[in-house]
Amino acid sequence: MRKFYQMIFGVLVLSALLLSGCTGGTDNKTVETDPGAGTVSSPPVQEETPSEEESSAIFVTFEGTDLEGNTVSEDVFTQSKLTMVNVWATYCNPCLREMPGLGELAAEYDGSEFQIIGIVSDVREGEDQALVESLVQQTGANYPHLLLNDSINNAFMGSVSGVPTTFFFDGEGMYLGGVVGSAEKSEWEELIHGLLEES
């Protein structure tokens, strides 16, 4: 199964229409599907006791607040077969360029099949979120966006070398892999379709 995920994530690298991310001025896209290796290391997460079959399974625990003031935790993963967690920043043009496509994807899929959660990496809970709300509205990224706090920082940000960074989790909250850099909607669609077929 891991080879399937490596092949699917590899499609994004090989088809690279947009190779940009906010990583100190270099354009790149890096894929990581083997926890502990690559540019995106496995999230520094709390691991559950794995079965023999899933000895490398990684699970994330976190709690945060979305723009509506709702509490969101790792339980959100159980609401969908596949969850895409997209870490972005208000200053990141590649992030903002891909968000309209992500908004379209979020609207096109049934929430029980696929969902997107955004994490705003440069605005903390309790700070002025007017800019975030404005950017979400301008880009049509109408899916939940979480503001940064210590819990989210500990769960995700240690694995983020640049934005956007995207993580995928299955319906049990198991980490499937990550992508550093932005992508076209069609590239995300191909990856999402493959992951859903495998689930």
Side-chain angles (χ1 to χ4, degrees):
M1 189 142 119
R2 181 164 299 283
K3 288 185 187 230
F4 173 81
Y5 290 131
Q6 288 172 338
M7 177 192 72
I8 290 297
F9 282 101
V11 167
L12 281 174
V13 173
L14 295 174
S15 62
L17 295 174
L18 288 175
L19 298 177
S20 55
C22 297
T23 57
T26 60
D27 290 343
N28 70 358
K29 182 182 297 181
T30 305
V31 175
E32 182 274 307
T33 56
D34 185 16
T39 298
V40 180
S41 60
S42 59
V45 298
Q46 191 173 359
E47 292 190 31
E48 294 182 0
T49 305
S51 66
E52 282 183 23
E53 186 178 273
E54 298 293 342
S55 60
S56 64
I58 296 174
F59 298 87
V60 159
T61 59
F62 68 93
E63 186 172 295
T65 305
D66 68 14
L67 298 178
E68 307 292 321
N70 302 311
T71 299
V72 179
S73 72
E74 68 277 0
D75 293 339
V76 73
F77 298 140
T78 65
Q79 297 172 9
S80 188
K81 286 184 183 176
L82 180 66
T83 300
M84 175 184 200
V85 177
N86 179 255
V87 181
W88 63 282
T90 60
Y91 60 82
C92 173
N93 287 329
C95 301
L96 299 174
R97 279 196 305 267
E98 78 173 348
M99 284 168 64
L102 297 181
E104 291 172 10
L105 287 170
E108 290 169 8
Y109 282 88
D110 182 283
S112 65
E113 289 288 310
F114 171 73
Q115 65 181 340
I116 302 176
I117 307 292
I119 295 178
V120 189
S121 64
D122 63 329
V123 178
R124 293 190 65 85
E125 287 180 4
E127 292 181 359
D128 182 12
Q129 66 185 44
L131 174 60
V132 176
E133 292 170 346
S134 174
L135 292 172
V136 167
Q137 184 177 10
Q138 288 173 31
T139 60
N142 297 320
Y143 46 86
H145 295 269
L146 306 180
L147 301 174
L148 197 63
N149 64 16
D150 289 343
S151 177
I152 291 172
N153 188 63
N154 292 338
F156 295 101
M157 301 311 292
S159 299
V160 175
S161 61
V163 287
T165 291
T166 303
F167 302 106
F168 287 91
F169 296 88
D170 70 13
E172 296 177 355
M174 186 176 78
Y175 174 65
L176 301 176
V179 177
V180 176
S182 61
E184 295 284 351
K185 178 185 174 186
S186 60
E187 294 176 290
W188 288 127
E189 280 178 318
E190 188 170 352
L191 175 57
I192 292 161
H193 180 73
L195 290 173
L196 285 172
E197 276 192 342
E198 188 68 12
S199 64

